[in-house]
Amino acid sequence: MKTRLVATAMALGTAIVPVTNPPAATAHAANGTSTRSSGCGGNMPAMPWWSTGQANCSHWGRPGAKITYSWHSLKNDGYNAVQVRGFDAKGRSRWYGCGWAGSGKCTVPWGNYIATPKARAMNKVHTDHIYYSVS
């Protein structure tokens, strides 16, 4: 497995981070999305305020890449608001709406970034729990 060095600019300087190439199990589709056969995802509670969950993996992007989040709630009712992280055209991390329901799926821009997918949820009616996967 080859190792590449990726320079990441940080607020107080520059860090060199060793990063390995993605495994052969990663396949890239023609429309700019990528899929990974391993189970990438996470979970978080849905409470009256935003609660954030971080995935158990990092996602490798490339120019024009998009990723798809699929999610469902434990109670499977329509009271959950879910937002997911992506990157805008200027490379800024931002939250994208992914539904107000018991489950949902959305595709967001990712671009040429290596980062950990995140999602956040809120439920103003009662406490619930959200599980999500990323491909």
Side-chain angles (χ1 to χ4, degrees):
M1 185 180 302
K2 295 180 182 178
T3 300
R4 293 189 294 164
L5 293 179
V6 177
T8 304
M10 299 178 72
L12 301 174
T14 303
I16 305 296
V17 181
V19 180
T20 58
N21 287 333
T26 301
H28 294 283
N31 65 0
T33 61
S34 65
T35 57
R36 182 180 297 268
S37 61
S38 64
C40 178
N43 64 83
M44 66 272 178
M47 299 179 281
W49 54 86
W50 289 112
S51 176
T52 303
Q54 182 168 300
N56 60 355
C57 66
S58 290
H59 188 80
W60 286 70
R62 59 186 168 76
K66 296 179 181 183
I67 65 171
T68 300
Y69 291 83
S70 298
W71 64 274
H72 70 278
S73 68
L74 189 62
K75 295 181 180 176
N76 199 26
D77 59 21
Y79 301 115
N80 299 294
V82 175
Q83 293 181 341
V84 298
R85 184 171 84 156
F87 293 91
D88 66 16
K90 293 184 179 182
R92 295 176 296 213
S93 174
R94 71 170 284 228
W95 293 104
Y96 292 89
C98 196
W100 185 278
S103 63
K105 184 176 186 176
C106 62
T107 300
V108 297
W110 194 263
N112 196 24
Y113 301 97
I114 300 172
T116 302
K118 293 180 181 179
R120 66 184 182 181
M122 178 173 43
N123 188 319
K124 294 281 189 179
V125 177
H126 55 249
T127 302
D128 203 345
H129 205 86
I130 308 295
Y131 298 90
Y132 68 95
S133 62
V134 183
S135 58

